[in-house]
Amino acid sequence: MSHAPSPAGPSNRAGPVVTSAPRTGSAAHAGQRTGRGGTALVTGASSGIGAAVVRRLAAEGGWRMVLNGRDVTRLEQVAALAGAVALPADLTRPGAGRRLTELALDHLGELDLLVAGAGVGWAGDFTAMPAARIDEVVGVDLLANLHLVRTVLPHMVAAGSGRVVLVGSLAGSVGVRGEAVYSAAKAALAAFADALRYELRGTGVRVSHVVPGVVDTPFFDRRGTPYTRPWPRPVPPARVADAVWTAVRRDKDEVYVPGWLRVPALVRGAAPGLYRRLAARFG
């Protein structure tokens, strides 16, 4: 049901595309904690939510960023406008998360913030879903994020501060008809955010989970099925970027976009039988 931007395809370009200068030095971790800038790695940054997050951080000022995505042309454009470094890569490839982390640290010196915004979807009956698409959705939406976070965390823990923002979906909170695998991957990401948050308590590293509903991005075109439901109405990606900023600035564990979407998630948790009857009737 909602949705981080989908990469358009693997890059054939090896190595970084530098669209800003810095390779040494970095903003203080204290600056990130107080919202006055810092260093950030943003994935899924070539369009949609990821690109909106880049624009939001750039507008705040003081942020030096490394951007990742698989659409090289769009990624370069976003990076150029933000004065950032573009590192195109397919994060589903073995070792890609480790290589991206090393390159990001090479350019930035340290990482205050990771915004994991890459995602793909597929809609239709589960029995009709090609096996390759199952692997792709789980690989991009879940496994690539786990591997990337795994390589970033030791550096944040060693520094004693940092924040990981995972962009999830309402589909992971309530399950959505016709999006069984996407819902499963995003539900796993939500559980990972909770478990990791408990594990990191006392380290100075924080975990935020941003949960959008339907977002007006190219996600639906790329998954092969347009969004046709009359409700809820799509929100602009800038609104999700604002939620990411709220999580960073106000130290929020979880932010729903829009906020009222927390209600169906709460109803499902408190009265699952009632929720399922309503969902079966109204979709």
Side-chain angles (χ1 to χ4, degrees), residues 52-71:
V53 168
V54 172
R55 291 191 291 269
R56 186 68 168 85
L57 293 177
E60 289 297 326
W63 286 92
R64 295 192 301 110
M65 292 177 279
V66 164
L67 314 183
N68 168 260
R70 293 193 295 184
D71 187 325

Side-chain angles (χ1 to χ4, degrees), residues 104-164:
L105 288 168
D106 183 36
H107 284 279
L108 300 175
E110 62 186 4
L111 275 177
D112 297 318
L113 173 65
L114 167 64
V115 180
V120 296
W122 190 90
D125 291 342
F126 175 64
T127 54
M129 188 174 186
R133 296 306 301 273
I134 294 175
D135 293 343
E136 181 187 17
V137 171
V138 175
V140 174
D141 295 353
L142 179 60
L143 296 179
N145 286 318
L146 300 190
H147 288 302
L148 180 60
V149 172
R150 173 63 184 83
T151 63
V152 166
L153 274 184
H155 302 281
M156 289 184 173
V157 171
S161 66
R163 180 172 300 274
V164 174

Side-chain angles (χ1 to χ4, degrees), residues 37 58 60 104 108 118 130 135-136 168 182 190 235 248 253 269 281:
E60 289 297 326
L108 300 175
D135 293 343
E136 181 187 17
Y182 180 77
V235 300
V248 172
D253 290 343
R281 180 175 180 182

Side-chain angles (χ1 to χ4, degrees), residues 19-41:
T19 56
S20 66
R23 289 186 68 88
T24 59
S26 63
H29 284 286
Q32 187 270 331
R33 288 194 298 269
T34 58
R36 290 193 296 270
T39 57
L41 169 59

